Amino acid sequence: MIWLNNTNARPAGTYVETVSLAGSNWDVYKGWIDAGSGKGWNVFSFVRKSNTNSALFNIKNFTDYMIYTKKWMSNAKFVSSVEFGTEIFGGSGSININKWNVNVQ
């Protein structure tokens, strides 16, 4: 997960370190999502140190960090989908997202 804006939510897992990637500083978290019956998956979260409503970066910067710096995943893995949005964790209000895109090269 790549968090551009954090307002009181906390990512799953444990804080690992702060890194500089894609022109910004990010707090890195590593955790495990338990799906029950011994099943689940790793979750890696990059929380931007300063909130923004707009960003342009290459996701490869983040996957390279996980593969080559931390050895958390194999370089045989690949990005199979990209999702964008928010996770509602409490409160009320509205969300207005008016523009986003993904350029696959």
Side-chain angles (χ1 to χ4, degrees):
M1 299 178 133
I2 301 172
W3 298 37
L4 299 180
N5 194 310
N6 179 17
T7 53
N8 300 323
R10 186 178 179 288
T14 304
Y15 170 80
V16 175
E17 64 187 348
T18 299
V19 297
S20 179
L21 297 170
S24 297
N25 291 321
W26 308 81
D27 286 340
V28 179
Y29 292 80
K30 180 181 180 197
W32 175 259
I33 302 296
D34 187 353
S37 302
K39 297 181 181 180
W41 58 89
N42 289 310
V43 60
F44 309 103
S45 298
F46 296 85
V47 181
R48 197 168 190 272
K49 294 289 284 181
S50 58
N51 289 337
T52 185
N53 292 326
S54 177
L56 176 64
F57 54 79
N58 189 337
I59 292 173
K60 189 173 184 313
N61 298 137
F62 298 87
T63 57
D64 281 354
Y65 166 82
M66 291 187 291
I67 293 166
Y68 301 111
T69 302
K70 300 310 279 185
K71 311 285 192 245
W72 286 340
M73 53 192 280
S74 162
N75 67 354
K77 301 287 184 182
F78 56 92
V79 176
S80 62
S81 65
V82 175
E83 298 179 19
F84 180 83
T86 61
E87 291 190 46
I88 307 301
F89 65 94
S92 63
S94 64
I95 299 169
N96 180 13
I97 299 170
N98 55 28
K99 182 179 178 184
W100 70 278
N101 66 40
V102 175
N103 182 13
V104 179
Q105 298 179 346

